[in-house]
Every structure is written in structure tokens, then in C-alpha cells.
Amino acid sequence: MKYRLSDIAKIVGGRLLGGDLEVTAIATDSRSYAITHDTLFVAMRGVNHDAHDHIAEVAERGVKAFIVEQEIALPEGCGAVVVENSLSALQALATHHRRQFNGKVVAITGSNGKTTVKEWIAQCAPHDAKIFRSPRSYNSQLGVALSLMMLDNTYDVAIIEAGISQRGEMERLRTMIEPDTVIFTSIGDAHAQGFASLKEKISEKLLLAQNATNIIYHSAYSELAEAILTRYNDRNLVDSACAKTLHRGDEASQHNADIVATFFAETGYMEPDFSQLQPVAMRLEVKQGINNSIIIDDSYSADLHSLSIALDNLRSVAAQRKTMLILSDILQSDNEVCKKVAEAVKGAGVCHFVGIGEELKQNSRLFGENSTFFASVEEALANISKLDITDYAILIKGNRASRMERISHRLEQHSHTTVLEVDLQAMTRNINYFRSKIGSSTRLMAMVKASSYGAGEVEVAQMLQKQGVAYLAVAFADEGVALREGGITMPIVVLNADDASFDTMIAHSLEPEIYSLRSLASFVRAVERTGEVNYPIHLKIDSGMHRLGFGEGDVPQLNSELARASQSVRVATIFTHLCVADDTAQDNFSKEQIATFDHISNAIMASLPYRPLRHAAASEAMLRFEEARFDMCRLGIGLYGFSTTAGEELEPVSTLRTRIVQIRTLHNGDTVGYGRNGKVIGDRRIATIPVGYADGLNRHLGNGAWEMIVGGKRAKTIGNICMDSCMIDITNIEGIEEGDEVTIFSAEKGNTAADMASVLGTIPYEILTSVAKRVKRIYINE
């Protein structure tokens, strides 16, 4: 893109202030490291942020051009377009820019499979095909606009994802995209909360094809197919069910393959070779690497647009770590592309660049002295041990032909086949759900004790820090120290603070829960030894749980001790714990606890010359008892996707997966596992998977008590759960082979950690925190 601000003002109906500058890129996040002097910064307002507050900061980094919603004082040499609504203005600019595109535009929509179909088309297309595809899941009102602004006429085809969550959104997307062809994937319950019914959701989705010439769909989704045939019988309608493509996988994957094959046939490309498909990385994956490194695995995509996004993610994940980019040649690259890569690397402040491929090696002069080049992945693998990666955050990106995943595997810390995937985007959506219920004025404390309920430590904390959570809470000082060493700078409360850890806590700026006069006196002495002043502490009130905390009778002496130590410590918060907030039958007791806390905390605050924050509500209470919200709420199990009150509004963030290591056929009378408790009736296909009770899979889930997902269908356990493995019966699931994926628990109904907890007669907390440290954690993000 290349526009002058005066042209943009005319296109979007805005007013030009200051200089008439030329811009060639767009940014909407002030934290982006990809912004340069010719970037147009679009300042938008959201529920929890206002980008106008960061304009001065962005200007200091060299940005001179802005779209804003209010008059601003412009630094010398800057220019701005003033509009009523920045997002609407960006969408208007995207609409104009799309109309300058000479190629064909294909839009993909549906409840599931959009990104998979898009990426499969890109992977299977001929290498000389000039296809643009929207980055990852850029399918929202903002994401589509940003995707369209990346278009230029070097592409013949543009593939744009379109996702909606409520009525009214598709018409805006249709206006921007103006697709020639629309591909409909599955239509189901995903993101259905904004629609009255599936019929209404389908009707809204169909708006995307209002002016399209061609429509590709799959008749397996019968309600969708019927609606398409009824509304658009005058178009070129192509049913992908006729493709009869052979693709090994579950039913949904087969339908996606049919859709891809149909698109290729309609476009004139050769038949796709699905045997060459690489895994679709829906989101960036973060893994623990060797030598205390962090690996961001983006091995299957290398283009300039996705590189900028990934570099931003690298800097976000890195925190205090040094950064390294390992990048393969970008397909169809030339000297100009290499120059842009070098500019992006410099702009992102990458500490060490590793280029792999002849094109990058030939252009090594464009990169700084902290660069290393290899002619091939094979050469890189032979020399990878010579790279110093200690304490680095490493982004690995590659074109699909280079098989850069081999480098990722070499640098990973764990090789265990079983992995726990943690969806940080789902976690963000859960945060926003609770924020929508409690309002923007009520702060949040996030519970990250027990390695964030098994989800991991630093990676989750980094996301929470970025989301503007007020406090983190851990159980023990060691957990807080690990977060500090991982670069977390926000306030951290230690809930099980004891005398022996006070010096360590002070050395790492960790804030203690104080629950007794003895612990207060001990901590005051520790603070005085270090010479600290006004050190923040958090007072725990026992309002009826009778575990830890000050009672009403302690208040007079507590107030006296706080007055005596007023130079050493400062009460940051006063809080309590409600013990039956999820039990409607005991609501009267919860209300008594809230009233007791209110009374005791007021008595403490009356003696203080300042006002601490108060908090009583955890995940359930903040939804059920408005009077318990006070100044702050504590987000625990709800952050990870479980709540009896919120129900399906939340998304479980953790998925435990593994792969089949062996399949064998057993015959009538054979037995499976220790104790010969797995009895085989008839001929059965039994698969062994490498996950057992040492990984956190409870032994009581054996002998058919739990079902796992294989090829989209359920497979019961058979025999006892072993320490490092277990067996499942896959007799009635066709097409399953060794190496195929098995989902132990996930976000799918009937397969969640809550469902597993119900089988075991326990709570989801126990399931999540039982996943062993030896299980590799992978963090996925947009």
C-alpha cells in the first residue's frame, strides 16, 4: 500500500491535520515493534484501552502519521486524519484498497475449518501460484481490514477469512471483501452466543455471498446446503461432496479436503496432493527449549506479512530475554524481499539473526554483524550446536518446503510425545468475559499458583501482564521468584507466605499475605532489616472459612501494630475467601461472610490514613454476588475455562494430547495390561498411547471409565492405566494408524477436564494441576 494522508482523508471522510505524509504500512497496536517512520498508526478505543493515550509514545519511536478520533497536538513534522470512528475509517480505507486489486478474491467463512482450508489451499497450490492469504486467524472486523490492506497486484488470488460472532457483522465484512467466490466450511455451535438460533447464524453467514459469482459448499452440512440452494440458486453452486477426495483423517478433515479439491478444480489448478500436507499451525506455538531458551515454533509459514506479526510475538514472549530469529528463504524472494526482511529484523531489535537458504546467504551484507547464514537446513542442523542460545527467545519461521520443524525439534527441551496445549487466546477471551460482567472499574487479580493450575508459569503470566491484570497471586515464594526471573514485573502476591521466605520475597519484590499478628511482626522485622519503607502487604480476614486470617477480635491489636509499623509496611489490600460461593443452597452463609468481611475490613480501614483495595470474590462469587466485588476480584478456575455459573460462556484453555505408538489386534479371551483386567471379547484393535499415571492420568480412568478422542470419535480405555502408558479400544474407528493423534481431554463437550473430574468424583482443579512437569507445554496464540 502507498497513500498520502490527504488521499486517506478523502477516502474515509476525515479531516487532515498537519503534514500530508506518505504511508506504506498500518499499525493498530502501540506495542508493535514493526512500526517505522512510514507507518500509519490507527488509534482505536476499546472497553479496556484507548490507543490515543499512547500516541506520544508511538511518535517518539518515529511514527509521524495517524488516524485519530479527536484533535491532538501534533509534534513537528507529523500529520493526522481526524475521523468519528477509527475502525470504521480503517474499514473504509480497506474497502477502497480492495477495489484497486485486479486479481480474484475468495472469502472463506464457517464455524470451523476456515483456517485449515485456507492453509491447505496455500500448501497444495503450485509453487509458482501467486496466492495471498490473510495471516493466521485475521478474520475479525479489524483483522479483515488489515488483511485487505496487505494486498497488491503482484498476487493473482487473495484468500480472506471472514469470522463473525453476532448479527450485523457480516455485512461490514462483505462490503470490505467483495468476494468473487465464497467458500463455506462447516456451520455449527462455535461462537453461537450472538445468535438466536443456528438458522439465524446461517442467514447471517450467507450475506457474504450476496454479490459473489461462485459458491463452494459441502452438502454434508445439510442445513447450510439447503439455505444456499434456496437463496442463491441463480449462482454457480458447487457441492464439494462430489469431489470424492481420498484424505485419511476424521470426518471434518475429509470434508475440508473435499472443499480444497473442489476449489482447485474450479480454479484450474492440478489436483491437490494431500500426502504432502504439513501440520497447520493455527497459532504461534511457544515451547520450552534447551539451555533455558524459549522456542516460538512457526515452522510452516514464511512471508513478509506473517513475519511482522511473528516478530511482535517474539518480543512479547521474550520479556527480558535476548531474541533470535531463525528464518528460511521466503519463496519467490529476491533482493528487495531480503532487504525488507533485514529492515524488519532491525526494527524488531533482534539480537541474533540466523538465515537459512541461498537467497538469504547471498544477501548477508544486508544484515548486521550478529548474523549467521547456512545454505540449507541440513547445514544448519549440522552446526546448530555451535549457536549460543542460552536464555534466548527464539522464533523459527520457514517456508513449507524447507521443513524447518526439524530445527525446532532439535532445540526443544522435552521430546515426550504427550503435550499439554494451552490456548492463550481462549484465556484472554475468558478474562474479557469476566470483565464484561464486573465492569471496567473493578480490578482483577489472577491466580497463577500451582504453575497456573498446571498450564505453566511464565508464559501465562506474560499474557496476563499484557492484558493489564492488576495482580498475580502465587502460593509460595519460589513460584514468585520464578516469575521474576522470567521477566514478570507486575505486583505478585504470595498467599502462603511464611517466616523462612520473607527475606527472599523482599529481595524479589514479592508481596506477602499476612494472616496473623505473629506473621505481621515477623515480616515487619524482615522489612526493617533491609531498610525498605512502605512495603506492600495483604491482610487476610477470616470471615467464616476458618483456615487462615484475622478475626474481629484481632482488629484492635492489629490496628495498633499497623500504626506502629506505618513507616515499614503499607496495607495494599484487605481480602477474604468465600468457601461456598458456588453452592446456591448455602447462599445465606456466603452473604453472611460478605457482611462479616465488610464489617471487619471497614474497622481496619478506619484506622488507616489511606484506603486499601478490598476483594472477596473469586470466579464464582464475582458472577453471583455483586456485593462481593468491592474494588477487585480474584480470577482463578474461571480463567482456565471452568465455572458452574458461566457454563459454556467460558472456553477450557488446556488440551492434553498424545499419539498412538502401537496398534495390535487381540482375539477373544486375550487380556490387556497389569492384573489382566482388560478382557477382550471377539477380535479387537487395541492402541497403546504413551501417557500414564506418572503424567497425571488417574488410575481410576482405566477399564473403560474414560473415553479419548481418536479420528473425531470416542475410544474407551481398556485395562489398567500404567505408569507411562495406557491402552484404548479403537475397533470401531476406521482408518486409524500408528502415529495418529489422541486427545485425552480438551474443550470438546464430554471430553473436558470437568467431565473427567465428574468421572473421578473430584473437581477440575485436581485434573489440571495433576498434569506432570515432564509433559511438554505448548502455548498457542494468534
Side-chain angles (χ1 to χ4, degrees), residues 1 23-44 51 55 58 61 63 65-68 86 90 93 138 142 145-146 149-150 308 312:
M1 60 164 277
V23 293
T24 62
I26 288 178
T28 60
D29 188 340
S30 62
R31 298 163 296 190
S32 173
Y33 291 90
I35 56 179
T36 59
H37 68 282
D38 56 356
T39 295
L40 172 66
F41 181 73
V42 183
M44 293 187 287
I55 285 177
V58 174
R61 293 168 57 196
V63 174
F66 305 89
I67 287 181
V68 294
S86 294
L90 178 57
L93 182 60
Y138 268 42
L142 174 60
L146 293 173
M149 293 305 300
M150 298 175 187
S308 295
D312 270 350

Side-chain angles (χ1 to χ4, degrees), residues 291 324 326 352 354 372 374 383-390:
N291 299 339
M324 178 182 293
I326 303 179
H352 194 107
V354 179
T372 305
F374 302 107
N383 292 277
I384 202 77
S385 60
K386 299 176 184 177
L387 290 175
D388 178 14
I389 65 169
T390 302

Side-chain angles (χ1 to χ4, degrees), residues 556-583:
Q557 189 174 353
L558 171 61
N559 287 343
S560 297
E561 294 300 327
L562 289 174
R564 215 176 345 259
S566 61
Q567 297 301 308
S568 300
V569 298
R570 184 178 191 276
V571 180
T573 77
I574 307 174
F575 72 104
T576 194
H577 200 114
L578 306 181
C579 52
V580 285
D582 59 345
D583 186 352

Side-chain angles (χ1 to χ4, degrees), residues 614-680:
R614 293 191 294 170
H615 51 108
S619 299
E620 294 297 333
M622 77 172 87
L623 298 178
R624 301 194 61 240
F625 299 101
E626 185 175 351
E627 66 270 30
R629 293 172 185 169
F630 294 100
D631 306 299
M632 185 161 65
C633 295
R634 299 188 301 275
L635 188 51
I637 194 66
L639 176 63
Y640 305 97
F642 299 98
S643 165
T644 55
T645 303
E648 295 181 7
E649 297 287 337
L650 298 179
E651 302 176 50
V653 305
S654 297
T655 299
L656 187 61
R657 303 186 193 276
T658 191
R659 292 190 179 276
I660 295 172
V661 293
Q662 187 176 36
I663 297 174
R664 60 175 50 190
T665 298
L666 299 183
H667 306 290
N668 191 52
D670 287 342
T671 59
V672 178
Y674 287 116
R676 302 187 67 201
N677 288 323
K679 300 283 193 297
V680 172

Side-chain angles (χ1 to χ4, degrees), residues 199-485:
K199 183 177 180 180
E200 181 180 84
K201 183 178 181 181
I202 290 173
S203 179
E204 182 76 9
K205 294 272 188 182
L206 290 187
L207 289 175
L208 185 59
Q210 186 169 301
N211 298 320
T213 303
N214 309 297
I215 299 174
I216 297 173
Y217 67 100
H218 203 296
S219 58
Y221 310 115
S222 56
E223 289 183 74
L224 171 65
E226 182 180 345
I228 291 172
L229 292 170
T230 300
R231 186 182 300 189
Y232 293 128
N233 55 23
D234 60 335
R235 312 295 171 81
N236 177 36
L237 305 180
V238 187
D239 182 1
S240 299
C242 302
K244 293 183 172 56
T245 301
L246 294 177
H247 172 70
R248 187 174 64 81
D250 58 37
E251 188 175 62
S253 295
Q254 179 63 61
H255 296 337
N256 289 338
D258 293 341
I259 290 170
V260 172
T262 301
F263 172 78
F264 273 48
E266 291 294 304
T267 311
Y269 292 142
M270 68 180 69
E271 186 175 344
D273 181 5
F274 293 111
S275 67
Q276 301 302 311
L277 285 179
Q278 302 288 347
V280 175
M282 300 290 189
R283 291 152 281 194
L284 298 176
E285 295 185 349
V286 182
K287 309 172 183 178
Q288 290 297 323
I290 59 175
N291 299 339
N292 197 38
S293 64
I294 295 175
I295 309 299
I296 304 174
D297 190 352
D298 194 18
S299 302
Y300 304 109
S301 173
D303 58 75
L304 286 173
H305 302 309
S306 68
L307 177 61
S308 295
I309 297 167
L311 285 172
D312 270 350
N313 193 276
L314 171 64
R315 289 298 298 265
S316 175
V317 168
Q320 305 302 314
R321 296 173 183 267
K322 298 173 287 185
T323 56
M324 178 182 293
L325 168 63
I326 303 179
L327 177 71
S328 77
D329 277 344
I330 293 175
L331 294 180
Q332 303 170 354
S333 65
D334 52 24
N335 292 350
E336 189 61 29
V337 170
C338 289
K339 182 179 179 182
K340 291 180 179 178
V341 169
E343 290 173 352
V345 169
K346 182 179 179 182
V350 172
C351 301
H352 194 107
F353 174 73
V354 179
I356 299 177
E358 295 291 350
E359 196 71 43
L360 285 170
K361 191 171 184 179
Q362 290 173 11
N363 286 275
S364 59
R365 67 189 185 284
L366 300 173
F367 299 84
E369 59 181 16
N370 291 324
S371 302
T372 305
F373 296 88
F374 302 107
S376 65
V377 173
E378 287 71 25
E379 183 182 345
L381 286 168
N383 292 277
I384 202 77
S385 60
K386 299 176 184 177
L387 290 175
D388 178 14
I389 65 169
T390 302
D391 297 325
Y392 270 87
I394 305 168
L395 170 63
I396 301 175
K397 280 189 71 66
N399 63 67
R400 69 180 189 266
S402 63
R403 295 190 60 206
M404 290 281 282
E405 72 275 9
R406 291 176 290 171
I407 292 178
S408 178
H409 294 161
R410 182 71 62 86
L411 298 180
E412 286 177 31
Q413 183 181 45
H414 297 292
S415 59
H416 197 338
T417 303
T418 303
V419 300
L420 184 74
E421 292 182 1
V422 181
D423 188 340
L424 298 180
Q425 281 297 110
M427 198 176 289
T428 299
R429 289 190 288 272
N430 292 340
I431 293 172
N432 290 336
Y433 169 79
F434 282 97
R435 278 177 166 159
S436 73
K437 298 300 180 182
I438 65 177
S440 57
S441 62
T442 305
R443 306 185 195 190
L444 281 176
M445 174 185 287
M447 311 304 286
V448 293
K449 60 182 181 177
S451 293
S452 299
Y453 292 39
E457 297 164 346
V458 175
E459 292 78 10
V460 172
Q462 285 174 337
M463 182 277 294
L464 294 168
Q465 182 169 273
K466 189 175 181 180
Q467 288 298 317
V469 170
Y471 285 89
L472 299 179
V474 297
F476 300 103
D478 288 348
E479 294 176 318
V481 171
L483 294 180
R484 287 285 184 247
E485 291 176 345

Side-chain angles (χ1 to χ4, degrees), residues 511-526:
E511 304 174 16
E513 170 192 303
I514 299 296
Y515 49 83
S516 69
L517 293 169
R518 184 193 59 78
S519 65
L520 175 61
S522 180
F523 189 74
V524 168
R525 288 194 297 271

